[in-house]
Amino acid sequence: MITQVILENFKSASKQSIDLAPITVIIGPNRSGKSSILQALGVLKGFVENASRPIDQLFNLHSIDLGSYKNVVHKHKDELTMEIGVKISDENVDLQFSLQLGPKSATLIRWEKPFRVEAHTPITLPWSPKPERTQFMYGNKKLTFVWDGLNTVIEPADPKLTDFINIHKTEIQKMNILFSNRGFLKPVYQRQEAQLPSTLSLTQDRIASLLDDVDFETTVMTWTEDVFGVRVEAKTVPPNIKLITRLRHFAPNIVNEGFGLNQATYMFAVLAAAKEGALIGIEEPEISLHPQAQTRLARIFQEVIKTMNKRVLITTHSEHLLIGLLTLVANGELKPDQLGIWSMERKGYTSKAKKLKVNEKGQVEGGIPNFFEHELSTSLEYIKALARGSSDESPSR
């Protein structure tokens, strides 16, 4: 599983690493660098998906185009080297894979378990494989690690290593990133294969087709009913499908429903269909949702990590969602180490990430900076205004 994100010279992130819990929440003011974390993962996934592109094309993430390398590199200094990496670890594996872009592009792979080997390979973009060989010990055997900048081969082949030697590619390919411009925008969809692609390109037709699968549809129907009180279903309109909300007397198309339900259904379909162990990154899951629905999202994310063995990385401005997650910890339904909260802060051109500690009572030790203060101060100002108004209206004696 992907357990850490590593960034250097990507947009406002000069150098930072984010440890990932099963549910990781990124908070902070606008322009503090929250979305950049998801965008960087999109660039990394795009490279693994198709490395045979010029460097500037790597920043086209299909649903959002970040522009050229100079547009994205820290402080727009194209002489800097940008790094986007992940650490992948479980009881059997511990490794880091990083993509380094800039004047001297390269990839880095560093294995710590079950063997120790490191390869730092210069690459040109569009990428063309240039294998390099490094010898290493695995038990009492001397093997050769063949690395072309993206793919690994072990010589001679070892059956114990074959299944996971390219786990860096597997984990990155099954990662899914949902940016804020998601949703269903038309009444009818062309039926496609009911599984998520390994690419960044998540079309509305593909996501709608997921709901034509009875297992995915059942999960999503349950979630929409839990959060919104209505069921979203896929209905066949040969040879296409449409998505409807099942009401008592009629069934409106989802495109004619509120956008909160619309975008949440899209998000739920991806959460349901993502592969076991996958990391799903979601930009602002609370978009257009009522505060009550935002709070209910917490239980959906809990189910995703506990019963489906997936991981969720979200950016949010929602105090309701955050309180919902902390309440699950306070009730003993989430363990403190299953919820990671990072607070982003930007000073000048540079963002910094600070990890906040959650205790067993669901409390954030030291408080949550710049999150609840504005709501409290606004509420206090409103109460004072009401008090002044009542005083002005009181009869004189």
Side-chain angles (χ1 to χ4, degrees):
M1 291 184 174
I2 296 174
T3 56
Q4 188 180 77
V5 181
I6 301 161
L7 298 181
E8 185 170 344
N9 293 325
F10 184 89
K11 297 180 70 173
S12 62
S14 61
K15 191 170 186 178
Q16 62 185 222
S17 59
I18 306 288
D19 295 324
L20 302 182
I23 299 175
T24 304
V25 181
I26 312 293
I27 63 173
N30 296 115
R31 298 184 64 250
S32 60
K34 301 184 301 298
S35 298
S36 296
I37 298 168
L38 300 181
Q39 292 166 358
L41 289 173
V43 172
L44 187 64
K45 181 177 174 73
F47 172 76
V48 172
E49 167 194 332
N50 179 13
S52 300
R53 293 179 289 166
I55 186 170
D56 286 349
Q57 289 187 17
L58 293 177
F59 300 103
N60 185 345
L61 308 180
H62 296 282
S63 62
I64 180 172
D65 189 343
L66 303 179
S68 67
Y69 177 80
K70 188 168 184 177
N71 294 144
V72 180
V73 69
H74 186 55
K75 296 183 179 180
H76 294 187
K77 294 183 177 181
D78 55 5
E79 68 272 19
L80 296 176
T81 297
M82 176 191 300
E83 180 173 358
I84 306 168
V86 293
K87 285 191 176 180
I88 297 167
S89 58
D90 58 27
E91 63 274 14
N92 300 313
V93 171
D94 187 3
L95 72 101
Q96 174 184 336
F97 172 72
S98 289
L99 170 64
Q100 297 169 344
L101 298 172
K104 296 182 179 180
S105 296
T107 59
L108 166 72
I109 192 161
R110 180 186 295 121
W111 282 87
E112 300 289 346
K113 189 171 68 174
F115 50 81
R116 297 178 67 89
V117 66
E118 178 176 325
H120 185 262
T121 304
I123 60 171
T124 57
L125 293 169
W127 172 76
S128 58
K130 297 177 182 178
E132 296 186 357
R133 288 169 164 76
T134 304
Q135 290 190 330
F136 69 101
M137 296 300 298
Y138 180 59
N140 59 359
K141 294 189 293 185
K142 181 180 286 188
L143 302 175
T144 300
F145 186 87
V146 185
W147 172 250
D148 65 9
L150 186 56
N151 307 289
T152 305
V153 175
I154 299 295
E155 297 177 347
D158 188 301
K160 293 182 179 179
L161 302 179
T162 301
D163 290 342
F164 63 81
I165 196 63
N166 284 299
I167 193 173
H168 61 288
K169 289 183 62 178
T170 303
E171 291 295 317
I172 292 168
Q173 286 174 329
K174 71 183 183 183
M175 175 174 64
N176 296 282
I177 308 295
L178 294 179
F179 296 111
S180 59
N181 53 351
R182 59 184 175 268
F184 299 105
L185 305 179
K186 55 186 182 180
V188 179
Y189 296 92
Q190 181 181 357
R191 180 183 278 104
Q192 298 182 355
E193 187 178 10
Q195 68 176 34
L196 287 173
S198 61
T199 68
L200 279 169
S201 181
L202 297 178
T203 65
Q204 294 177 51
D205 294 291
R206 177 62 68 91
I207 302 303
S209 297
L210 296 175
L211 298 176
D212 199 36
D213 180 284
V214 64
D215 293 329
F216 299 151
E217 182 187 41
T218 300
T219 299
V220 173
M221 281 195 305
T222 301
W223 287 346
T224 58
E225 189 166 38
D226 288 346
V227 176
F228 302 98
V230 296
R231 291 191 168 202
V232 175
E233 303 175 10
K235 183 176 181 180
T236 300
V237 185
N240 300 315
I241 57 175
K242 66 178 182 179
L243 303 181
I244 60 172
T245 49
R246 180 65 67 186
L247 303 180
R248 184 173 181 178
H249 297 295
F250 62 100
N253 194 295
I254 194 171
V255 78
N256 292 314
E257 289 281 8
F259 189 70
L261 172 64
N262 185 317
Q263 70 87 11
T265 301
Y266 189 104
M267 173 175 63
F268 291 165
V270 174
L271 286 167
K275 294 182 179 179
E276 182 178 358
L279 174 66
I280 305 106
I282 308 171
E283 185 176 24
E284 299 184 17
E286 72 273 13
I287 294 173
S288 296
L289 297 188
H290 185 275
Q292 187 178 59
Q294 294 179 35
T295 304
R296 290 172 177 170
L297 280 182
R299 287 204 174 273
I300 305 300
F301 294 137
Q302 178 204 27
E303 182 177 345
V304 167
I305 71 157
K306 294 193 76 171
T307 67
M308 298 181 173
N309 193 30
K310 303 171 187 180
R311 299 166 77 84
V312 181
L313 168 62
I314 63 177
T315 68
T316 186
H317 292 284
S318 172
E319 67 271 25
H320 306 287
L321 172 55
L322 190 56
I323 287 294
L325 291 167
L326 291 171
T327 301
L328 292 175
V329 176
N331 288 335
E333 298 173 83
L334 270 182
K335 296 179 180 179
D337 61 4
Q338 291 179 312
L339 174 62
I341 303 176
W342 290 79
S343 176
M344 303 295 295
E345 181 181 10
R346 180 167 176 164
K347 292 184 178 180
Y349 298 107
T350 302
S351 297
K352 297 290 184 183
K354 179 183 178 182
K355 187 174 184 179
L356 307 181
K357 185 176 181 180
V358 179
N359 64 28
E360 293 183 354
K361 296 179 180 180
Q363 300 168 324
V364 178
E365 297 183 6
I368 304 176
N370 303 314
F371 203 71
F372 297 114
E373 291 94 331
H374 179 71
E375 182 177 1
L376 291 172
S377 64
T378 302
S379 298
L380 182 59
E381 184 178 349
Y382 176 58
I383 291 169
K384 289 179 179 178
L386 291 176
R388 286 193 301 269
S390 297
S391 176
D392 293 342
E393 293 173 4
S394 61
S396 58
R397 294 183 180 180

